[in-house]
């Protein structure tokens, strides 16, 4: 996995982008964090945040011009938050001197002169003093913060100002009042000689001291770099009202200028670039997306006593209006992303770090394998981050490095091998034909779930389409693709492509949405259509429904999420059948059933949550056109039917059809092939062994399903034990216990003789390759 690509993907995730209020604040106050504390009534922690960002919290919380409120997302659902009033509430109800920042103990040798003791100059002084620099403030008036002391909107109590100014003593800042820089005693030139850096916070006054060569604008103020606050002199920086002129005064922008000028001075001392990595300095537009349409519009809470500010109760009520702003659109719709408690940027980093491990356990393999690869996250993401593609890439990388536990995908890969073996796979022209204009590829899962529907659909296509309709049974290779086994996947595609060429390159008709997707994405030369589009065009056979099927909710398979034509054809067919389907989601936003990406094998609990979540979207029975979706719903107790149940089904209540389970799925495939060979092509069948009867209770059968143990494998264990006598007898129960390892899995069966067959009492297995693999 390439590091640059990983970094690009991480950058696409916007969850760590700041909320609009924080991005719009010149000093990026953590408004979301502050509101979160206020919502809980924790004013002390709220004050801790305010004090971390504001050097003079009591003053600024009362006079801030709060540009953050202009961009507050709450305005899209009601009125913007009264953020400045909330700041003041933190100070009024949560002030603690112990929460104020403390300076570094180590003193640095550099000395800085601050000219002007306004809000800009004192902010620069405090920030630099906190870093351990010796800082001296020169002020022409008798007191600092002259403009603030004269504040009339409303007037600020002197005691409040003095409380905030205690920080100057704490930091050790020297204030030289009644000292006008420019007099004979103190000039800018003398400061340049005596100090390592100078910050000019002169207010809107022009520079009257010309003792150094300083570039000035037409009004006589220093020309200032708006990013670094540097002037034409390498030691001199400037900001505050000196940058804007007398017509504009913004307390928060004055604080902004002093803070970032201090950053430039510190960088200069460190020998670092003054301009690097400052793209998000000051107010900017965030990339964070917040879906505000889901929130109820609420008015702002106005303080009952404006002069007194919020009461504690009012502040909590107002803070409760904060959403708070997050994206997490993907996490909201995906059980996999929610399961690990974070969001894609962090997952990408964890998975990448896991991929880079040379020695030790690869603990994040399960995380990468749990993704269903359905792509819903990408569909809802404002930045369209392809998390599914990344997870699949990670799987491929781990397989190539030999660091992927085989236990995750061993079972579905062996099931795929069965589907592509002589037990199921075949390719034939239509009986009586030597060429095929069409080739029906039903897929392995429909054949496993409803073999009779495959036979009926093939017969009907043969009757309605001219030019010959061939049949190809097998697996498209999707399980290998999902499992990162590109070697097996390409082998399966190569076999399909070769057989397609041998049959004259006919148009392929698929009945499986995964096969349809695999062919479209990986075999562009194959002309592929969905059977639903074909049936929509040629019409359905006469259908008599056994009962009133309405209402039915339609579930679109995730692999056809963007296939609008296929979805439309399915709905046309349902309408023809007299069904007006209930839509479960907005177009293009269907969810996964929990089978895709082999999720159910890597993390069954998350797969169950995924299908259960989808099942709760409607109380109606479901209809779908994916066999695995239908069977997964049935497995979890959700009444669901396949659309072919309505077309070719013979049961009174097709939604009550049970999940066939893994064992019967393989048996159904083999039985379908033998039936077609016997009844359609009149060819010899695959030899069917005379198998012993197994008596398996529902409890043991469910256990076998959960542990991915097929009844054919149970028979193999018993046959091996009875043939070799490699078994032990439990003296208490009289049962036999036997084991057999036909491949990378060892199976254990507890059984007893029962007539001419066997009763199975327990089954279990361990899935590891001793010495070369890790346990699952």
């Amino acid at each position: 996995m390439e590091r640059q690509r990983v970094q690009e993907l991480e950058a696409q995730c916007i969850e760590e982008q700041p909320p609009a209020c924080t991005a719009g604040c010149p000093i990026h106050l953590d408004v979301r964090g502050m509101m979160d504390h206020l919502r809980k009534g924790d004013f002390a922690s709220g004050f801790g945040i305010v004090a971390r960002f504001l050097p003079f919290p009591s003053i600024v919380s009362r006079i801030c011009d709060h540009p953050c409120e202009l961009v507050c997302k709450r305005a899209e659902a009601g009125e913007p938050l009264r953020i400045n009033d909330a700041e003041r509430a933190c100070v009024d109800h949560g002030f603690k001197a112990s929460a104020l920042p403390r300076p570094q103990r180590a003193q640095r040798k550099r000395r800085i002169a601050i000219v002007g003791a306004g809000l800009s100059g004192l902010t620069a002084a405090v920030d630099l003093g906190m870093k351990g620099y010796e800082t001296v403030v020169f002020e022409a008036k008798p007191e600092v913060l002259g403009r603030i002391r004269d504040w009339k909107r409303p007037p600020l109590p002197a005691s409040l100002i003095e409380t905030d100014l205690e920080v100057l003593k704490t930091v050790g800042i020297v204030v030289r009042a009644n000292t006008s820089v420019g007099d004979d005693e103190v000039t800018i030139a003398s400061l340049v000689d005596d100090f390592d850096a100078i910050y000019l916070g002169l207010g809107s006054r022009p520079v009257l001291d010309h003792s150094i060569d300083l570039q000035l604008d037409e009004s006589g103020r220093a020309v200032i770099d708006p990013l670094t606050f540097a002037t034409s002199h390498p030691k001199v920086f400037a900001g505050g009202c000196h940058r804007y002129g007398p017509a504009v005064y913004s307390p928060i922008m004055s604080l902004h200028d002093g803070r970032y000028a201090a950053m430039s001075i510190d960088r200069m001392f460190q020998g670092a670039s003054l301009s690097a990595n400052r793209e998000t300095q000051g107010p900017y537009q965030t990339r964070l997306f917040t879906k505000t349409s889901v929130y109820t519009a609420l008015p702002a809470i106005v303080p009952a006593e404006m002069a007194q500010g919020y009461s504690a109760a009012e502040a909590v009520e107002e803070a409760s209006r904060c959403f708070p702003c997050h994206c997490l659109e993907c996490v909201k719709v995906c059980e996999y992303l929610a399961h690990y408690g974070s969001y894609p940027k962090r997952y990408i980093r964890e998975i990448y770090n896991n991929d880079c491990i040379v020695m030790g356990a690869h603990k994040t393999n399960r995380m990468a394998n749990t993704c269903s690869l359905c792509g819903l996250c990408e569909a809802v993401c404002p930045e369209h981050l392809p998390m599914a593609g990344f997870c699949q890439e990670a799987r491929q990388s781990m397989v190539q490095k030999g660091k992927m536990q085989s236990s995750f995908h061993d079972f579905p890969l062996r099931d795929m091998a069965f589907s592509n073996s002589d037990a199921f796979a075949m390719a034939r022209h239509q009986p009586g034909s030597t060429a095929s204009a069409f080739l029906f590829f039903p897929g392995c899962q429909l054949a496993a779930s409803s073999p009779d529907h495959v036979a009926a659909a093939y017969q009907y296509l043969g009757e309605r389409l001219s030019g010959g309709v061939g049949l190809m049974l097998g697996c498209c290779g999707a399980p290998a693709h999902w499992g990162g086994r590109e070697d097996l996947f390409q082998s399966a595609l190569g076999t399909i492509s070769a057989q397609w060429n041998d049959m004259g390159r006919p148009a392929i008709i698929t009945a499986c949405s995964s096969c349809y997707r695999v062919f479209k994405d990986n075999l562009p030369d194959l002309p592929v259509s969905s059977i639903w589009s074909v049936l929509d065009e040629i019409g359905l056979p006469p259908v008599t429904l056994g009962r009133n099927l309405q209402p039915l909710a339609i579930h679109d398979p995730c692999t056809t999420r963007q296939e609008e034509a296929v979805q439309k054809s399915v709905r046309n067919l349902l309408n023809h059948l007299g069904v007006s389907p209930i839509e479960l989601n907005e177009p293009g936003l269907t969810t996964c059933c929990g089978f895709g990406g082999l999720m159910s094998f890597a993390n069954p609990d998350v797969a169950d949550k995924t299908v259960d979540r989808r099942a709760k979207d409607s109380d109606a029975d479901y209809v779908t056109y994916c066999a695995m979706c239908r069977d997964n719903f049935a497995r979890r107790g959700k009444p669901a039917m396949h659309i072919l149940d309505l077309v070719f089904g013979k049961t009174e209540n097709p939604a009550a059809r049970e999940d066939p389970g893994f064992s019967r799925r393989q048996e159904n495939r083999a039985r379908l092939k033998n039936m077609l060979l016997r009844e359609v092509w009149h060819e010899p069948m695959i030899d069917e062994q005379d198998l012993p009867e197994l008596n398996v209770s529902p409890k043991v059968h469910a256990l076998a399903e959960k542990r991915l143990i097929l009844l054919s494998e149970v028979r193999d264990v018993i046959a091996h034990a009875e043939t070799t006598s490699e078994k032990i007898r439990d003296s208490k129960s009289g049962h036999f216990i036997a084991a057999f390892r036909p491949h990378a899995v060892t199976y254990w069966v507890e059984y007893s003789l029962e007539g001419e067959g066997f009763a199975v009492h327990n089954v279990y297995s361990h899935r590891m390759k001793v010495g070369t693999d890790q346990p699952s």
Side-chain angles (χ1 to χ4, degrees):
M1 302 178 72
E2 295 182 2
R3 181 177 180 180
Q4 181 177 351
R5 168 169 163 72
V6 170
Q7 292 173 337
E8 291 171 353
L9 290 173
E10 287 179 317
Q12 275 188 264
C13 181
I14 57 177
E15 174 55 26
E16 293 182 1
Q17 291 290 309
C21 52
T22 295
C25 172
I27 60 168
H28 305 318
L29 175 72
D30 180 11
V31 177
R32 183 171 61 193
M34 179 188 74
M35 289 295 189
D36 184 54
H37 289 307
L38 286 187
R39 186 187 301 110
K40 302 171 185 175
D42 187 355
F43 289 90
S45 296
F47 175 73
I49 290 180
V50 173
R52 192 166 75 246
F53 286 85
L54 303 181
F56 309 106
S58 301
I59 296 171
V60 178
S61 66
R62 283 165 167 76
I63 68 172
C64 181
D65 36 321
H66 46 82
C68 53
E69 296 181 15
L70 298 176
V71 295
C72 175
K73 298 294 285 185
R74 230 319 167 183
E76 298 177 13
E79 293 181 300
L81 294 169
R82 296 178 70 98
I83 298 171
N84 187 218
D85 287 331
E87 288 174 353
R88 177 178 173 179
C90 289
V91 176
D92 290 347
H93 303 292
F95 181 92
K96 283 187 176 182
S98 60
L100 296 171
R102 298 295 173 184
Q104 294 181 5
R105 292 183 179 180
Q107 292 295 310
R108 306 190 185 191
K109 296 181 180 180
R110 305 282 188 167
R111 301 176 71 239
I112 302 103
I114 306 293
V115 181
L119 196 55
S120 168
L122 289 189
T123 297
V126 170
D127 282 9
L128 289 166
M130 286 289 182
K131 292 179 180 294
Y133 294 111
E134 181 183 344
T135 307
V136 180
V137 177
F138 296 85
E139 171 56 44
K141 296 181 179 180
E143 295 181 305
V144 302
L145 294 179
R147 183 194 291 265
I148 302 304
R149 294 178 187 277
D150 295 336
W151 197 263
K152 303 298 183 185
R153 308 190 300 271
L156 299 180
S159 60
L160 182 147
I161 296 174
E162 295 307 321
T163 296
D164 273 2
L165 290 179
E166 284 295 314
V167 69
L168 302 182
K169 298 178 183 178
T170 302
V171 176
I173 294 171
V174 176
V175 177
R176 293 180 58 178
N178 296 312
T179 304
S180 178
V181 175
D183 293 345
D184 292 339
E185 182 180 349
V186 181
T187 65
I188 297 177
S190 66
L191 295 179
V192 168
D193 291 337
D194 294 340
F195 291 86
D196 298 293
I198 297 93
Y199 176 71
L200 301 179
L202 298 175
S204 58
R205 304 188 306 275
V207 177
L208 301 178
D209 179 354
H210 302 295
S211 59
I212 65 170
D213 184 13
L214 198 63
Q215 184 179 354
L216 306 176
D217 62 17
E218 62 275 6
S219 61
R221 293 190 294 270
V223 175
I224 305 170
D225 184 315
L227 181 66
T228 66
F229 301 94
T231 68
S232 59
H233 192 286
K235 277 191 175 184
V236 179
F237 298 79
C241 287
H242 196 70
R243 190 156 70 101
Y244 308 110
V248 179
Y249 179 65
S250 165
I252 195 63
M253 285 306 297
S254 288
L255 194 156
H256 161 277
D257 286 12
R259 170 146 296 165
Y260 290 110
M263 177 188 289
S264 292
I265 292 171
D266 182 50
R267 285 191 177 193
M268 179 182 70
F269 292 156
Q270 302 298 327
S273 168
L274 298 190
S275 59
N277 300 317
R278 299 180 81 157
E279 296 82 3
T280 57
Q281 176 175 299
Y284 67 97
Q285 186 172 356
T286 183
R287 290 169 54 215
L288 182 68
F289 172 81
T290 303
K291 191 173 184 179
T292 60
S293 61
V294 299
Y295 294 98
T296 302
L298 295 174
I301 305 301
V302 180
E305 299 290 339
M306 289 296 296
Q308 299 300 317
Y310 277 138
S311 67
E314 289 171 334
V316 170
E317 188 176 2
E318 176 65 359
S320 297
R321 292 201 311 124
C322 183
F323 295 146
C325 288
H326 287 282
C327 179
L328 299 176
E329 290 301 300
C330 56
V331 178
K332 295 173 188 175
V333 300
C334 176
E335 288 293 336
Y336 156 59
L337 295 175
H339 175 73
Y340 288 97
S342 193
Y343 44 87
K345 181 175 182 178
R346 292 190 177 181
Y347 298 151
I348 289 170
R349 177 54 53 177
E350 287 186 49
I351 292 171
Y352 173 69
N353 289 342
N354 179 76
D355 182 74
C356 294
I357 293 174
V358 177
M359 301 289 290
H362 294 265
K363 297 181 179 180
T364 313
N365 280 5
R366 189 179 299 277
M367 177 190 286
N369 284 315
T370 299
C371 177
S372 70
L373 307 181
C374 77
L376 179 59
C377 55
E378 183 177 1
V380 301
C381 173
E383 302 281 324
H384 303 294
L385 169 61
M387 186 69 189
F390 175 75
C391 286
Q392 187 162 24
E393 183 180 338
R395 297 179 193 182
Q396 293 169 359
S397 177
M398 296 305 295
V399 168
Q400 291 170 3
K401 294 178 179 179
K403 299 299 183 181
M404 180 67 79
Q405 298 97 316
S406 62
S407 55
F408 284 126
H409 302 136
D410 172 70
F411 184 88
L413 291 177
R414 285 189 287 111
D415 189 60
M416 184 186 101
F418 175 89
S419 296
N420 286 333
S421 71
D422 289 340
F424 175 62
M426 61 174 282
R428 298 286 191 279
H429 291 297
Q430 190 171 345
S433 301
T434 58
S436 298
F438 302 92
L439 180 62
F440 183 40
F441 192 95
C444 59
Q445 300 300 356
L446 180 60
S449 176
S450 306
D452 293 344
H453 293 351
V454 173
Y458 178 61
Q459 180 180 347
Y460 182 68
L461 292 174
E463 293 171 354
R464 294 302 307 272
L465 297 175
S466 59
V469 179
L471 176 69
M472 184 186 294
L473 299 181
C475 177
C476 67
H481 187 47
W482 293 339
R485 289 297 304 272
E486 285 301 294
D487 54 337
L488 298 179
F489 180 53
Q490 293 302 324
S491 176
L493 292 179
T495 298
I496 292 169
S497 183
Q499 290 179 332
W500 172 70
N501 274 291
D502 291 343
M503 296 189 73
R505 304 168 71 86
I508 293 182
I509 301 172
T510 67
C512 170
S513 60
S514 294
C515 297
Y516 179 83
R517 181 86 273 135
V518 164
F519 291 162
K520 285 197 69 174
D521 291 346
N522 298 278
L523 295 174
D525 292 338
L526 272 66
V528 59
S529 300
S530 166
I531 190 175
W532 320 120
S533 300
V534 174
L535 291 177
D536 187 26
E537 182 179 345
I538 66 176
L540 292 172
V543 177
T544 301
L545 299 179
R547 68 181 183 97
N548 182 8
L549 292 169
Q550 296 182 331
L552 291 175
I554 185 165
H555 168 77
D556 294 299
C558 58
T559 42
T560 60
R561 179 178 294 116
Q562 304 303 327
E563 298 294 333
E564 296 181 7
V566 173
Q567 296 176 15
K568 182 178 180 181
S569 292
V570 171
R571 285 155 177 77
N572 290 342
L573 296 175
L574 289 172
N575 290 332
H576 181 79
L577 293 166
V579 176
S580 298
I582 300 169
E583 298 292 344
L584 291 174
N585 47 257
E586 299 177 28
L589 297 181
T590 190
T591 65
C592 182
C593 73
F595 178 78
L598 308 181
M599 172 191 275
S600 59
F601 301 99
N603 203 323
D605 291 340
V606 175
D608 287 347
K609 289 179 182 178
T610 299
V611 66
D612 291 347
R613 175 175 180 158
R614 184 53 159 176
K616 293 176 183 177
D617 285 343
S618 174
D619 292 332
D621 293 355
Y622 283 6
V623 60
T624 185
Y625 43 105
C626 169
M628 280 310 307
C629 291
R630 193 225 73 86
D631 290 350
N632 247 6
F633 288 131
R635 178 179 62 84
R636 298 297 292 172
K638 177 66 178 181
M641 65 188 74
H642 194 283
I643 189 172
L644 292 183
D645 288 326
L646 303 177
V647 180
F648 300 116
K650 300 176 183 179
T651 60
E652 181 70 15
N653 185 7
R657 182 161 61 92
E658 294 181 350
D659 169 35
F662 294 119
S663 294
R664 202 185 313 163
R665 299 183 79 82
Q666 287 197 1
E667 294 169 3
N668 283 344
R669 293 180 193 131
R671 191 175 298 117
L672 172 64
K673 178 177 180 178
N674 276 337
M675 185 270 288
L676 292 172
L677 289 176
R678 180 180 65 247
E679 298 181 9
V680 179
W681 279 276
H682 307 292
E683 295 181 14
M685 298 183 296
I686 301 296
D687 290 338
E688 294 185 343
Q689 298 177 341
D690 186 15
L691 301 174
E693 186 69 25
L694 293 184
N695 181 2
V696 183
S697 69
K699 179 180 179 181
V700 174
H701 188 274
L703 190 64
E705 286 289 306
K706 182 178 181 180
R707 294 176 175 174
L708 304 178
I709 300 174
L710 302 175
L711 294 185
S712 61
E713 293 162 340
V714 174
R715 287 192 177 94
D716 289 342
V717 174
I718 295 175
H720 177 77
E722 292 299 304
T723 301
T724 65
S725 297
E726 293 180 2
K727 56 186 177 180
I728 58 175
R729 185 175 181 276
D730 187 322
S731 59
K732 292 184 179 180
S733 65
H735 299 165
F736 293 107
I737 301 175
F740 182 51
R741 186 180 180 88
H743 39 75
V745 181
T746 300
Y747 299 98
W748 294 81
V749 178
E750 180 182 345
Y751 69 98
S752 61
L753 300 176
E754 186 176 84
E756 297 183 0
F758 302 93
V760 180
H761 305 288
N762 195 7
V763 294
Y764 49 98
S765 67
H766 57 78
R767 298 177 176 274
M768 64 174 70
K769 292 175 87 175
V770 179
T772 60
D773 207 352
Q774 301 174 24
S776 59

